[in-house]
Every structure is written in C-alpha cells, then in structure tokens.
Amino acid sequence: MAAQDGTHVQVDSDADGTADVTQTIDEGEVVFVGGGVLQGAKVTSDKPVQVHEGTGDVGSTYESRWFTLFPTNLLSSDYLNPVASSLDN
C-alpha cells in the first residue's frame, strides 16, 4: 500500500531477479500479487510503502494469516526477546 501518490512498485514474485509485476499507484492504493510468492521474492518502490502477505490453507474456507514484511535494512541476525518486566523473578 502506497503512502504517496505516484509510487512506482515492482514485485519479483518468483525471486529470479526480474520484476513480474510493475505498477504505479497512488496513496492508499495497493498492488495485489495473486498466485503466491516464492522464498527470496522482493518488493521495491521509489516511495514509502507498507507490505503485507496473506496466507491460507488450500481448500479452506475460513483460515488465513497475515504477516507484515519489513525492509531489509531492519532485519537482523540477532535473536530479540521482548520482556514484560525487568525483574529476575
């Protein structure tokens, strides 16, 4: 989903290095990629976007999950564990 008008979005859904979907969208508009994406797929844009992935069981009429995808520069190889308290007990 675009944050600004005139956002150019490219999606390499099969991770082969070539954009499979290219669209220019305006604020609040989305690019839908049907048929799934493979591991290593990339979304690039020239302006800020938010990216979500929806998944579900084939043949199911009710089950789905949504994941927010983060920019590569925010990814880490560190394990982060949020805690609710700073107490040892």
Side-chain angles (χ1 to χ4, degrees):
M1 179 182 290
Q4 300 174 15
D5 288 346
T7 301
H8 184 71
V9 179
Q10 294 183 314
V11 182
D12 173 13
S13 60
D14 57 8
D16 67 354
T18 303
D20 303 301
V21 177
T22 300
Q23 282 184 295
T24 300
I25 57 177
D26 291 329
E27 180 181 356
E29 293 183 335
V30 301
V31 174
F32 176 76
V33 179
V37 295
L38 299 179
Q39 181 177 343
K42 290 187 179 183
V43 176
T44 57
S45 67
D46 62 349
K47 296 178 183 175
V49 294
Q50 63 179 5
V51 180
H52 301 278
E53 182 175 29
T55 66
D57 291 335
V58 174
S60 176
T61 58
Y62 61 89
E63 185 176 355
S64 66
R65 297 200 184 354
W66 289 93
F67 301 94
T68 300
L69 304 181
F70 295 95
T72 304
N73 64 333
L74 294 180
L75 299 178
S76 171
S77 60
D78 296 331
Y79 180 78
L80 306 173
N81 184 21
V83 294
S85 172
S86 62
L87 301 176
D88 291 343
N89 59 1

